[in-house]
Amino acid sequence: MLFVNFKNYVFGEKSVKLAKECKKVNNKIVLGVGLGDLYRIVKETKMKCYVQHIDYQGKGRNTGYNLVENVKANNGKGVMLNHSEHRLSFEIISKTVKRCKQLNLEIMVFVKNINEGKKVSRLKPSYICVEPPKLVGGKVSVSTANPKLIEDSVKKINGRILVGAGIHSKRDVEVARKLGAKGVAVSSAVTTARNPGKVLKELI
Ligand code: G3P
C-alpha cells in the first residue's frame, strides 16, 4: 500500500489537484485528507480516502467535534489516528477505534515505537503505521536510518504494519517491503514536490 498523507501541506483546490495527480499515477494509492476536503476529493476522483484525525463523540450535540458519521456520510473509507503530530491517549484511541468499527471504517493507528505498537495491536486496527517522530518531515528515511525498526515491528507487532518518515526514494520503499512492511506512508516528498506525479511514479 502506498499511503499519501496530505497533512496540512495542501487543502481546498490544491488538495483536489494533488488527489488527481495521485490518481493519474495509480488509482490504488490511498489518500490521507482533511475532513473539509473529503467530499469533493472522493466525488471528483473516486480515490480511497482516510481522514487525518477523528473524534469518538457521537451524533447530536458535541459542537466542533469531527465525527465518524461525518466521514461515512462523505464517503471516506477510513481514519488515521494518533499521528505523531496529533497524539492521543490510549483511552481515546481505544474509544475511537470502537466507534470506527461500529461504522465499518478502516483504521490506521500511528505509533512511535514497538512498545506502543504492541499496545495498540490489542485494539486490532486495520493497519499500524510505525513512524519514528524525529524522522518525520526530514530527508533521512526510516528505511535508511533504522531498518531494524521495520524488521522488528513486523516481527513483534501483531497486525498489518506500514512504516513511514522521510520516505522519498524507490530504495526506501523497497527496503520497507523487503523487511515485511505491507506498505509505506509518505507525505512531504510528495506534497511539497514541484512535480508530485514524478515522485509518485518513482515510489510506486
Ligand atoms: O504520515 C506520513 C508522514 O508522517 C510521513 O511524513 O513528510 O516524513 O513523509 P514525511
Side-chain angles (χ1 to χ4, degrees):
M1 185 215 251
L2 177 61
F3 185 83
V4 180
N5 180 2
F6 286 19
K7 302 197 178 182
N8 277 307
Y9 287 113
V10 285
F11 32 79
E13 201 65 46
K14 285 188 179 161
S15 73
V16 180
K17 193 168 169 237
L18 180 60
K20 287 181 179 170
E21 295 263 337
C22 292
K23 185 177 182 175
K24 257 194 247 160
V25 176
N26 188 314
N27 63 6
K28 298 281 185 278
I29 293 171
V30 183
L31 313 179
V33 306
L35 185 57
D37 293 320
L38 176 66
Y39 181 77
R40 189 166 162 208
I41 290 179
V42 176
K43 192 164 190 258
E44 293 193 23
T45 69
K46 310 274 181 269
M47 293 289 276
K48 180 169 176 174
C49 291
Y50 280 42
V51 295
Q52 296 169 18
H53 165 77
I54 208 67
D55 300 305
Y56 65 81
Q57 279 78 3
K59 201 172 165 217
R61 291 171 68 159
N62 294 318
T63 303
Y65 288 98
N66 292 320
L67 308 189
V68 289
E69 284 84 353
N70 194 337
V71 179
K72 199 78 188 173
N74 286 295
N75 301 316
K77 286 285 184 284
V79 305
M80 300 159 54
L81 286 178
N82 196 43
H83 190 278
S84 59
E85 292 151 5
H86 198 144
R87 298 272 296 163
L88 302 168
S89 69
F90 185 74
E91 190 196 344
I92 290 182
I93 298 170
S94 173
K95 283 183 180 170
T96 316
V97 167
K98 272 187 204 138
R99 294 273 294 117
C100 291
K101 287 189 177 178
Q102 285 166 354
L103 272 84
N104 285 322
L105 285 170
E106 293 178 17
I107 309 138
M108 182 184 302
V109 182
F110 287 76
V111 297
K112 61 180 181 186
N113 57 32
I114 292 178
N115 277 347
E116 192 182 18
K118 283 183 181 169
K119 199 169 171 191
V120 159
S121 71
R122 287 191 246 133
L123 306 171
K124 298 195 186 337
S126 321
Y127 295 97
I128 295 175
C129 185
V130 184
E131 293 195 346
K134 277 193 186 148
L135 300 175
V136 170
K139 294 267 178 266
V140 180
S141 71
V142 61
S143 307
T144 301
N146 201 349
K148 183 144 172 36
L149 175 69
I150 305 176
E151 198 177 352
D152 288 349
S153 299
V154 171
K155 275 190 203 143
K156 297 179 183 170
I157 305 172
N158 278 331
R160 288 192 281 184
I161 306 300
L162 304 180
V163 292
I167 301 277
H168 60 274
S169 70
K170 192 172 186 63
R171 185 194 162 270
D172 292 335
V173 178
E174 280 171 0
V175 168
R177 290 207 177 116
K178 218 175 174 177
L179 295 173
K182 294 276 179 245
V184 298
V186 59
S187 183
S188 50
V190 173
T191 55
T192 65
R194 233 181 243 170
N195 186 343
K198 194 170 165 225
V199 177
L200 283 164
K201 272 184 206 148
E202 197 202 310
L203 293 182
I204 210 124

